[in-house]
Amino acid sequence: MAGVKQMTSRERVLAALKREPVDRTPVCNPTSVATVELMDLVDAPFPDANREPELMARLAETSYTELGFDTIMPVFSIIQESSALGCKIQWEQKDNWPTVKMREPIWEDADDIRIPPDFLTHPDTACVTDAIRILKKRYGDEVAVVGKTMGPWSLGYHCFGVEPFLLMSLDDPDKTKQCLDRMKKATIDFGIAQIEAGADALTLPDHATGDLVSGEYYERYLKDLHIEFVERLKIPIILHICGKTVDRMDFIAQTGMAAFHYDSKNEPAESMDVVQNRISLVGNINNPETLFSKGPEAVRAEVEKNLDAGIHLIGPECAIPLQTAIENLKEIPIAVKEWTKN
Amino acid sequence: MGETGNLGSRIELVPMDGHFRDISIGLYKQESAAGPGYLIHTYSSKDGVAGRMDAIGAAMVRLGGIQKEADGLLRFPCGKGHERACRRLFIESVKQSPSEDPEARPLEILDKKSGLTMTLAPLSEGVFRVECQGESESRERRIATVAGGLAKLGDLTWSQDSEPDLVRFPCGHDHTELAGLLLIRAPNVRAVLREEESTASRGVLAAPSQQKS
């Protein structure tokens, strides 16, 4: 850090994603830091802020303007492309997340999979690309704008239902691979659309989570697909998988992804040992117990633990609870800056 | 940089006010030489917001005996924080219908489970005895339930084994209005805790594998 000239937020984030020197560790939000209080501040409440580009941009930019993060991430939810694929969505109210009605799956077989011709012009995907355009126009090269495109494993849960998709992966691996291969078009097309709209990096959530899927599963079903995403989406990609994932971090580090957004169920130092500087790590401030339920001191302690371990970008482990206190979120960049000074 | 200043520690949040345009309203605790004080705040700037904040503050004063002081903060007359009780007071005050004048609750309530009328008899120095009128086999159990509920809801001290019918505000002050407010929920404190848990769990994003819908 010493000897590195002062960087803009965007420069800082992009350098950290390449594991290049930075003036300080960036504070990054690969998922969502939207809260009900921030919605009120800028009059951009859920569910409208998931569906109207100006509201989406206005709520997203509070990450930079109010909280002091180095990134702006307008794609709060994980359902935008599933909506465009035809899934039924429960849009909920201001204080809750929109969700896919996974008990009403839209596909049963690989042959059912069709990416609709209006996939990228559907209001719920176009909202994202329009919001990214608005943010790039507003912030230019000042701050990193991060987009999000869901991976095929997550889309599989949404479109087939969690249980049927997991059972298929056990009973018929070839069919599962065929399904993933067909769904990947949605991931790639939506990712490219966001790159063209001006995204500086993309989060790619693919919920092969530690509770349901083993590290071996990751290698069998997803590693090669993720390598392909790196080849075809030509900006830094931040892979996001919740839960205990240290058993698959070695595989993830072989994909060429720029970064892995990791969960607080994984120890920072152990995770760094596994990835061996082949990939950056982003995270891993605990959401339910720390950011949501404790105070700034506890947040600071977790930030420092990550910084001490050499984590490349600091941020919450996942999309934060919508009732999280603003003071806790502001503590993340404050703690990073003070740690850097000392 | 930003419009979100330091308001103190947020100790409670109503994410959507059903009585005023679904705005979020927070209760913030500030420490000062005058003792812990509470601020009601919303980040919304919708028309009429200031009036709504004033109405909630006025309801807290009437329902809980808290005082609004010159610095704009709410403080209990004993100078102590009573944080848990204040959170309950805030929640009940936001729920209070704006069309009704808030009134301090009586120290008496009908316990629907037993049919008994539960009362709080003020003794002295912040001590209340839980009593009941009516016939029921569960008299003693209901008295202990209500006393335990008051202890949980307001951080009152309670010795279940030695004096199961007595509760006490640790500050030694007679918070009669506050005791009346807490009494409403005390017979069914489990439901209150479940409601708090349910409210808190809204807005926590689950991975697709963890979702119920």
Side-chain angles (χ1 to χ4, degrees), chain B residues 136-156:
Chain B
S136 168
E137 285 178 0
S138 59
R139 284 173 66 96
E140 289 186 6
R141 202 170 64 240
R142 294 310 293 164
I143 285 174
T145 298
V146 169
L150 290 165
K152 276 199 183 115
L153 290 172
D155 280 340
L156 278 73

Side-chain angles (χ1 to χ4, degrees), chain A residues 27-67:
Chain A
V27 179
C28 178
N29 151 38
T31 46
S32 165
V33 285
T35 72
V36 288
E37 288 183 306
L38 291 171
M39 292 175 204
D40 279 337
L41 181 75
V42 295
D43 198 17
F46 277 12
D48 297 347
N50 294 297
R51 310 199 76 184
E52 294 179 28
E54 171 54 33
L55 299 187
M56 181 178 266
R58 208 192 299 161
L59 179 58
E61 69 192 0
T62 60
S63 159
Y64 178 63
T65 58
E66 297 297 328
L67 306 179

